[in-house]
C-alpha cells in the first residue's frame, strides 16, 4: 500500500508532506501515488479513516493539470477540478461525522483534516465557508480530549464569523453549540449554558422551535444542568426533547403507514386490472 518516496523523481523546489501531520514525507500511496506520509502509522490511519474511499478520486484532483493553450480549456479543467474537490469535501465530511457519531474520534481525524484542506482549496484560506470544517475539527478534538486544539480551531471559526457579520443563523448555531461543548468539557458550565442558549435561539430561528436541531440544543443544556445537579431543570428539558422526538417519530410513522396504505391500494388496483385482462383474454 505504500512505498518510499524518491526525491530525485520530484520536480525541484517541491517537498512532499505527510497527509496527516504535514511533516516531510518518506512514503507514498502505491495506488494513487499522489498522497504521501511520514511513516506507516500515519499511512494506515489515513487509509482506515478516509483514504480507502477517496484514493482513486485523489488522482484526478492532485495530478498536475495538462498544458492547455486556450483559456476556455483551462477554465473547463478548473471547473471540473472544483466539482471534484466539492464532492471530495462532502464525502470526507460525511465520513468524519459517521466516525464521530460512533464515538471513534481518532478515526475521524484524517477525514476531518481532509475536509478543511478541500475547503481551503475551494474557497481560499479566509473564507466563511471554512467555518464548518473548523467546527468539525473542534468537535473531534473535544472528543479526543485535546481541548487546546479545539480552542485553536474555534478561535479560527470565531474570527471568520466576526469578519462576516451577515453569516447565516445555521453557522451561528453550530458555532455556539461547539463552543458550549468545549466549555462543558472544561467544566465552565455557566459559559456552556450561555452558548447553548444562543445555540437554541439561532437554531429555533432557522429551523423552528419544534425541530430536532433545536431539541439537540435543549438536550445539551439538560446535560449541563444535570452535571450541576439541578435535576428539576434538566428533567424539564429532557421532557421537551422527548416530546419533540415523539412528535417527529409519530409523524414519520403516520407518513409511512399512509404510503404503505397507498401502495397496497395501488397494487390492489393493479391486481384488479390484471384479472379483468385475463378474463377478457379467456372470453376471446
Amino acid at each position: 500500500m505504500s512505498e518510499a518516496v524518491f526525491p530525485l523523481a520530484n520536480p525541484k523546489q517541491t517537498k512532499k508532506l505527510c497527509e496527516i501531520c504535514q511533516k516531510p514525507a518518506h512514503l507514498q500511496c502505491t495506488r494513487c501515488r499522489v498522497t504521501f506520509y511520514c511513516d506507516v502509522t500515519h499511512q494506515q490511519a489515513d487509509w482506515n479513516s478516509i483514504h480507502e474511499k477517496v484514493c482513486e478520486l485523489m488522482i484526478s484532483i492532485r495530478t498536475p493539470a495538462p498544458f492547455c493553450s486556450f483559456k476556455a480549456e483551462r477554465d473547463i479543467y478548473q471547473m471540473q477540478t472544483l466539482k471534484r474537490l466539492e464532492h471530495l469535501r462532502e464525502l470526507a465530511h460525511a465520513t468524519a461525522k459517521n466516525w464521530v457519531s460512533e464515538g471513534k474520534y481518532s478515526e475521524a481525524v484524517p477525514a476531518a483534516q481532509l475536509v478543511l484542506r478541500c475547503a481551503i482549496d475551494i474557497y481560499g484560506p479566509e473564507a466563511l465557508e471554512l467555518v464548518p470544517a473548523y467546527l468539525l475539527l473542534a468537535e473531534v478534538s473535544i472528543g479526543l480530549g485535546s481541548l487546546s486544539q479545539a480552542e485553536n480551531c474555534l478561535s479560527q471559526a470565531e474570527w471568520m464569523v466576526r469578519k462576516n457579520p451577515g453569516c447565516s443563523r445555521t453557522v451561528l448555531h453550530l458555532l455556539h453549540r461547539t463552543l458550549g461543548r468545549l466549555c462543558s468539557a472544561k467544566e465552565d458550565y455557566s459559559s456552556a449554558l450561555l452558548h447553548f442558549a444562543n445555540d437554541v435561539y439561532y437554531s429555533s430561528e432557522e429551523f423552528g422551535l419544534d425541530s430536532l436541531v433545536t431539541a439537540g440544543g435543549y438536550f445539551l443544556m439538560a446535560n449541563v444542568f444535570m452535571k450541576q445537579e439541578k435535576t428539576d431543570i434538566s428533567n424539564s428539558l429532557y421532557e421537551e426533547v422527548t416530546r419533540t422526538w415523539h412528535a417527529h417519530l409519530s409523524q414519520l410513522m403516520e407518513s409511512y403507514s399512509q404510503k404503505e396504505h397507498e401502495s397496497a391500494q395501488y397494487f390492489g388496483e393493479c391486481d384488479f386490472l390484471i384479472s379483468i385482462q385475463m378474463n377478457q383474454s379467456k372470453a376471446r
Side-chain angles (χ1 to χ4, degrees):
M1 293 175 63
S2 62
E3 64 181 20
V5 175
F6 295 99
L8 294 178
N10 299 322
K12 290 183 178 180
Q13 307 301 324
T14 61
K15 292 183 179 180
K16 302 303 181 184
L17 302 178
C18 178
E19 189 76 6
I20 302 298
C21 64
Q22 298 300 296
K23 293 181 180 179
H26 307 291
L27 301 173
Q28 68 177 350
C29 175
T30 56
R31 296 193 179 187
C32 65
R33 295 187 177 277
V34 292
T35 311
F36 304 89
Y37 306 96
C38 63
D39 58 28
V40 175
T41 302
H42 280 182
Q43 190 272 336
Q44 191 64 47
D46 191 37
W47 180 264
N48 293 336
S49 173
I50 184 65
H51 191 70
E52 182 180 10
K53 296 181 179 180
V54 301
C55 186
E56 292 186 7
L57 184 58
M58 289 292 197
I59 300 173
S60 59
I61 292 174
R62 293 184 174 176
T63 300
F67 174 76
C68 298
S69 57
F70 297 102
K71 182 178 182 301
E73 293 179 349
R74 294 195 297 270
D75 291 343
I76 291 173
Y77 184 85
Q78 184 178 10
M79 186 180 301
Q80 291 174 340
T81 301
L82 287 175
K83 287 182 178 179
R84 294 189 187 103
L85 275 169
E86 182 60 30
H87 174 63
L88 178 62
R89 186 192 66 82
E90 292 175 354
L91 180 58
H93 188 274
T95 302
K97 293 296 288 185
N98 284 338
W99 287 124
V100 169
S101 67
E102 295 176 11
K104 298 179 179 179
Y105 298 103
S106 296
E107 287 84 347
V109 171
Q113 290 176 333
L114 182 58
V115 173
L116 179 59
R117 283 194 294 272
C118 289
I120 292 173
D121 289 341
I122 296 170
Y123 304 109
E126 298 182 2
L128 182 64
E129 287 80 2
L130 270 62
V131 171
Y134 279 114
L135 296 181
L136 177 58
L137 276 169
E139 184 179 2
V140 172
S141 298
I142 293 169
L144 290 171
S146 303
L147 302 187
S148 60
Q149 180 64 33
E151 286 180 335
N152 291 336
C153 293
L154 286 169
S155 295
Q156 288 287 338
E158 281 190 286
W159 178 70
M160 291 173 178
V161 168
R162 291 180 186 277
K163 284 180 57 181
N164 297 271
C167 66
S168 69
R169 290 186 289 265
T170 299
V171 170
L172 292 172
H173 117 73
L174 289 172
L175 175 62
H176 283 288
R177 180 166 295 190
T178 312
L179 284 167
R181 283 174 168 156
L182 175 62
C183 292
S184 181
K186 295 169 64 177
E187 298 184 356
D188 182 1
Y189 297 132
S190 297
S191 298
L193 288 173
L194 178 61
H195 285 300
F196 288 143
N198 285 324
D199 163 27
V200 169
Y201 170 76
Y202 288 117
S203 59
S204 62
E205 285 281 305
E206 184 70 14
F207 305 104
L209 277 171
D210 295 328
S211 72
L212 295 180
V213 178
T214 305
Y218 284 130
F219 181 77
L220 292 170
M221 289 182 72
N223 290 343
V224 174
F225 281 119
M226 183 63 73
K227 291 176 181 178
Q228 293 180 319
E229 298 183 354
K230 298 179 180 179
T231 54
D232 291 342
I233 302 176
S234 63
N235 287 338
S236 65
L237 289 171
Y238 285 138
E239 288 176 3
E240 178 66 21
V241 174
T242 303
R243 183 195 64 78
T244 302
W245 269 99
H246 181 269
H248 175 72
L249 293 174
S250 297
Q251 187 176 3
L252 280 179
M253 290 299 297
E254 183 179 351
S255 176
Y256 176 77
S257 299
Q258 184 177 358
K259 288 181 179 179
E260 193 175 47
H261 174 72
E262 291 174 354
S263 177
Q265 184 178 8
Y266 169 77
F267 284 113
E269 292 174 353
C270 288
D271 291 340
F272 177 70
L273 292 173
I274 291 172
S275 64
I276 291 177
Q277 291 177 350
M278 290 178 65
N279 290 331
Q280 289 177 344
S281 298
K282 290 179 181 179
R284 291 174 185 171

